[in-house]
Amino acid sequence: MDLPGIAASSEKAHSPQGLEQARESEEILRVEELRVEFHFPDSKVVVLAGIDLDVSMGEIVGIVGESGSGKSVTALSIIGLLRPPGVVTGGRVLFCGENLLDLGADEMRAVRGERISMIFQNPRASLNPVFSVGKVLREVLRLHSGLRGAAARSRAIELLSDVGLPDPETVLARYPHQLSGGMAQRAMIALALASSPQLLLADEPSTALDVTIQYQIIQLLSRLRKDRNLAQIVITHNLGVIAELCDRVAVMYAGTIVEEAPVGQIFDETRHPYTKGLLAARARTEGAGELESIPGQVPDMRNRPAGCAFHPRCAFATGICRTATPILEMSGARHKVACHRWKELA
Ligand code: SF4
């Protein structure tokens, strides 16, 4: 469901100046040719087929696509939380110039605790049910800032207040089951911020919430970028979230990025037939027209279609699409697309 007040990309509040500021600032993350496989006893399945992605300080990059496109695997690989059967089999994840894939478990834990944080779709499930919010926050602050006692409590209240939780002193004493979904997500964001990270990965941060709370969480993430220059990767299937929050977006399909561009261009100069399908399928708050859907299903990665993986669902597929894999190529100054026919279809 789109967020209220989000009608079309060109109406969103991204200023070109803001976008350029983000681009001109320091690059904090560069993912190069990241390849992930699922290793089963009798087979190996490629789930990320060598993706490239970069994020600058203060920039919010969205990753959008249907379930099974590889969005979450990308984030988990970046932050070192990919679990078996997932195995990173190639590429680099350069964070401030250091390849995170070269780090040992302890070093990666330190990066994850202090410099990169992640929030998930279901905040209540991510919080430990037997600890109060205050206990968890104070523990994080002790580990990462050395704060204890009254100083830790004071900082915890400050963090809860920063994420817009009313009456933070009361929230400190609450357990996850005593929080609404929106409160739990704010508490998760406060936890993620406790170590003052440089990069926040947000995996469907507003999906489980009702529309009004979704909008508030999006506003909060937007404010964090502004106030803290916090770089973010936001994973979502909701193009309303992308339109409202992100500077740039990568569209994923079957373990590859098929289109990447500044948000305005994705909406206004859409190149890839899959992206066009996603846009046509988005719920319209205006209520205009029937809801369209992309025919067919995301492919089972054990039987990834040859050539362009989207070809079984694409109305524009021709012979070459069934045999040759399109590469992600520049189609404009900052616009990339992986489609054999993007020029004809433009
Ligand atoms: Fe469609 Fe062919 Fe483009 Fe793939 S390469 S999106 S099948 S036109």
Side-chain angles (χ1 to χ4, degrees):
M1 181 184 292
D2 279 357
L3 298 174
I6 301 170
S9 63
S10 54
E11 295 171 14
K12 83 181 284 298
H14 290 307
S15 72
Q17 295 90 338
L19 208 59
E20 288 312 315
Q21 278 169 8
R23 297 296 305 170
E24 287 167 9
S25 61
E26 182 188 348
E27 180 179 277
I28 190 167
L29 180 78
R30 173 169 289 273
V31 175
E32 295 177 346
E33 283 292 305
L34 182 63
R35 187 178 171 91
V36 173
E37 296 174 355
F38 280 1
H39 288 183
F40 300 109
D42 55 352
S43 63
K44 292 179 180 175
V45 178
V46 175
V47 291
L48 280 189
I51 68 159
D52 298 314
L53 193 70
D54 62 90
V55 186
S56 294
M57 289 293 294
E59 186 182 30
I60 304 182
V61 175
I63 302 180
V64 69
E66 293 163 286
S67 298
S69 59
K71 309 184 300 291
S72 296
V73 168
T74 301
L76 293 171
S77 302
I78 290 170
I79 202 170
L81 286 176
L82 187 69
R83 296 288 175 256
V87 179
V88 176
T89 56
R92 301 198 298 172
V93 176
L94 299 169
F95 179 66
C96 300
E98 181 177 37
N99 185 6
L100 299 183
L101 300 181
D102 287 340
L103 300 184
D106 289 344
E107 293 169 307
M108 192 60 221
R109 202 172 296 117
V111 169
R112 193 161 54 237
E114 293 176 10
R115 299 168 67 195
I116 306 178
S117 290
M118 186 161 178
I119 56 173
F120 298 91
Q121 176 178 344
N122 188 342
R124 266 188 290 231
S126 306
L127 292 165
N128 191 323
V130 300
F131 294 127
S132 68
V133 171
K135 184 170 178 62
V136 179
L137 257 178
R138 286 194 300 272
E139 181 63 9
V140 172
L141 289 166
R142 183 184 68 77
L143 286 171
H144 296 296
S145 312
L147 293 177
R148 294 169 188 273
R153 178 181 165 80
S154 170
R155 178 67 183 134
I157 290 170
E158 199 175 283
L159 282 164
L160 293 176
S161 179
D162 276 356
V163 297
L165 275 165
D167 196 3
E169 297 196 29
T170 302
V171 174
L172 274 185
R174 291 205 177 155
Y175 289 81
H177 73 275
Q178 297 173 310
L179 302 174
S180 68
M183 291 172 80
Q185 189 58 286
R186 287 176 193 273
M188 272 301 295
I189 295 172
L191 270 170
L193 297 177
S195 56
S196 302
Q198 295 158 284
L199 174 65
L200 178 69
L201 308 180
D203 190 354
E204 302 280 7
S206 60
T207 297
L209 308 173
D210 70 49
V211 170
T212 306
I213 306 298
Q214 277 187 37
Y215 189 70
Q216 292 172 4
I217 294 296
I218 297 310
Q219 294 298 309
L220 170 60
L221 294 175
S222 184
R223 182 166 59 76
L224 292 174
R225 174 256 292 280
K226 186 161 165 266
D227 293 351
R228 296 172 177 243
N229 203 29
L230 180 64
Q232 298 173 45
I233 294 177
V234 174
I235 291 167
T236 182
H237 64 274
N238 186 331
L239 286 161
V241 171
I242 294 288
E244 180 70 7
L245 183 61
C246 300
D247 300 306
R248 200 151 48 88
V249 59
V251 181
M252 289 195 73
Y253 188 78
T256 61
I257 291 175
V258 296
E259 185 162 8
E260 184 194 318
V263 162
Q265 290 183 28
I266 283 285
F267 283 85
D268 298 338
E269 299 167 36
T270 318
R271 304 260 198 253
H272 198 282
Y274 178 60
T275 313
K276 290 177 183 173
L278 287 179
L279 289 170
R282 77 189 195 276
R284 292 173 182 275
T285 50
E286 309 96 300
E290 287 187 17
L291 191 63
E292 295 179 31
S293 64
I294 304 173
Q297 305 288 328
V298 172
D300 180 339
M301 294 300 277
R302 288 169 292 191
N303 296 299
R304 193 178 192 277
C308 172
F310 187 58
H311 84 251
R313 306 174 73 187
C314 181
F316 307 102
T318 58
I320 189 174
C321 305
R322 299 181 184 90
T323 55
T325 304
I327 58 164
L328 192 65
E329 61 180 310
M330 299 304 299
S331 65
R334 298 178 53 211
H335 200 145
K336 301 175 192 170
V337 64
C339 171
H340 295 301
R341 303 192 63 202
W342 72 265
K343 286 179 189 162
E344 298 165 63
L345 300 175

